[in-house]
Amino acid sequence: MRLVSRRLKKQPEMYNILTEPLRVEHLKIAIADLPKHLEGTKLVQLTDFHYEGKSLSDKLLKEAIAATNEAEPDLILLTGDYVTNNPTAIYNLLPWLKQLQSRAGIYAVLGNHDLKYPHSKAIITTALTNIGIRVLWNEIVYPLGDELALVGLPDFFARAFNPAAVMSQLDETLPRIVLSHNPDSAEKLQPWRVDLQLSGHTHGGQIILPKIGPLPAQIKKFLQHISIPYLEANCYKVTKHWEWVSGLHQLGRNLLYVSRGLGSYFPGRLFCPPEVTVITLLTYSPALS
């Protein structure tokens, strides 16, 4: 059934006053016992579109799509928050996502904004599926062969978030990449091997204060010294671990990468450019390191 609504029309453009140019981040990630034939595998991560005519311009989205395709990825991995509120806004994003090109497919997980209303999950999942994007919900797939697993989890705050039920299905010796929108999930995933977790959600903090760090982290520190229950609760709903706000983090034996994403909230981004992430996989043997 095709849903038709006046709300499908893109809202008036209200892009944030602080806008920085797109940055393409290039990473090389070594994975223990990755098969030699998968060395050089190229992944591209895109996240946090929030494409409703207020948070992400067509110009920036066009640049992100072009940068992704220029990388000639083997896999494209989408880590959630395609919309902000109205789930039918996904239909405006679909023509852009249909332009993405990868050798072995496009895989996605959902973010907290993609689950905002009871019908959001079904609308967004169906829309992405209809253009050939596989949405993973507590699932394991093998798009590059059975020697590398790709795990997709629900959002950290979803009732269905249950990493034990999924991760326990994998042999400990099998390399795996985990897609999980909220980086806080890395704490819950520590009992299991995670060669690389890809997350977004934080928008990199959006406002980065020179020599101080992400503004939201400073707000969190402030709240630790006073009692404002509503603000404190909502700060933790965004994320608990602001120290993982962006970039690469080692958590014991596991590795977490948090992308700054593409979209943002008002007033926008300062010293925190939107991001397309290009990841090249390498192999190494722990016994030889």
Side-chain angles (χ1 to χ4, degrees), residues 37-73:
H37 69 88
L38 291 180
E39 184 157 26
T41 292
K42 194 175 292 184
L43 318 175
V44 171
Q45 180 193 7
L46 297 170
T47 194
D48 292 270
F49 296 85
H50 292 281
Y51 189 68
E52 290 187 18
K54 299 179 181 181
S55 302
L56 176 60
S57 70
D58 288 351
K59 177 179 181 295
L60 178 56
L61 182 53
K62 182 178 181 179
E63 291 173 355
I65 298 293
T68 299
N69 291 339
E70 185 177 338
E72 298 183 341

Side-chain angles (χ1 to χ4, degrees), residues 21-27 45-47 60 64 246-247 257-262 269 272-278:
L22 178 72
R23 181 179 297 174
V24 180
E25 302 288 0
H26 292 269
L27 306 177
Q45 180 193 7
L46 297 170
T47 194
L60 178 56
S246 66
Y257 185 78
V258 185
S259 168
R260 297 184 301 272
L262 294 172
R269 296 170 176 267
C272 183
E275 173 180 350
V276 169
T277 317
V278 179

Side-chain angles (χ1 to χ4, degrees), residues 9-281:
K9 293 182 179 180
K10 200 174 178 186
Q11 300 298 315
E13 294 185 353
M14 296 176 59
Y15 305 123
N16 301 305
I17 59 174
L18 300 176
T19 303
E20 293 191 84
L22 178 72
R23 181 179 297 174
V24 180
E25 302 288 0
H26 292 269
L27 306 177
K28 292 183 178 180
I29 302 295
I31 293 181
D33 302 316
L34 184 76
K36 279 290 185 182
H37 69 88
L38 291 180
E39 184 157 26
T41 292
K42 194 175 292 184
L43 318 175
V44 171
Q45 180 193 7
L46 297 170
T47 194
D48 292 270
F49 296 85
H50 292 281
Y51 189 68
E52 290 187 18
K54 299 179 181 181
S55 302
L56 176 60
S57 70
D58 288 351
K59 177 179 181 295
L60 178 56
L61 182 53
K62 182 178 181 179
E63 291 173 355
I65 298 293
T68 299
N69 291 339
E70 185 177 338
E72 298 183 341
D74 296 291
L75 282 177
I76 296 175
L77 306 173
L78 312 179
T79 48
D81 279 1
Y82 309 96
V83 304
T84 299
N85 294 305
N86 178 14
T88 60
I90 188 66
Y91 299 121
N92 295 319
L93 182 60
L94 294 184
W96 295 98
L97 297 182
K98 286 173 69 173
Q99 298 176 38
L100 292 171
Q101 302 169 13
S102 68
R103 181 181 66 83
I106 306 173
Y107 292 81
V109 292
L110 302 182
N112 54 306
H113 283 273
D114 306 317
L115 305 172
K116 189 165 186 176
Y117 302 110
H119 56 293
S120 295
K121 176 178 180 283
I123 289 174
I124 293 171
T125 299
T126 300
L128 293 176
T129 301
N130 285 344
I131 63 167
I133 297 175
R134 174 80 177 271
V135 179
L136 304 178
W137 183 266
N138 281 328
E139 291 180 76
I140 305 168
V141 293
Y142 302 87
L144 298 172
D146 58 9
E147 295 172 293
L148 177 65
L150 179 65
V151 180
L153 299 176
D155 181 67
F156 182 61
F157 290 113
R159 286 188 178 183
F161 180 78
N162 182 15
V166 183
M167 302 300 288
S168 61
Q169 300 177 40
L170 294 170
D171 189 290
E172 182 67 16
T173 63
L174 183 68
R176 76 285 308 268
I177 295 170
V178 176
L179 307 182
S180 183
H181 176 69
N182 190 326
D184 279 348
S185 58
E187 184 175 30
K188 298 293 186 181
L189 284 163
Q190 286 191 289
W192 300 278
R193 171 180 176 173
V194 178
D195 296 282
L196 178 62
Q197 174 180 333
L198 296 179
S199 298
H201 183 61
T202 63
H203 302 185
Q206 286 200 184
I207 307 294
I208 307 300
L209 305 176
K211 299 183 179 181
I212 296 177
L215 180 59
Q218 304 311 310
I219 295 173
K220 179 184 172 185
K221 289 179 182 178
F222 174 72
L223 292 173
Q224 290 175 346
H225 299 287
I226 62 174
S227 179
I228 308 179
Y230 176 80
L231 288 177
E232 188 172 31
N234 280 276
C235 184
Y236 276 95
K237 281 182 180 179
V238 175
T239 194
K240 175 183 176 183
H241 291 282
W242 280 106
E243 67 271 26
W244 303 339
V245 70
S246 66
L248 198 60
H249 304 274
Q250 188 81 45
L251 285 74
R253 63 176 178 167
N254 294 347
L255 198 62
L256 165 68
Y257 185 78
V258 185
S259 168
R260 297 184 301 272
L262 294 172
S264 58
Y265 296 118
F266 183 86
R269 296 170 176 267
L270 181 63
F271 304 120
C272 183
E275 173 180 350
V276 169
T277 317
V278 179
I279 302 165
T280 302
L281 302 184

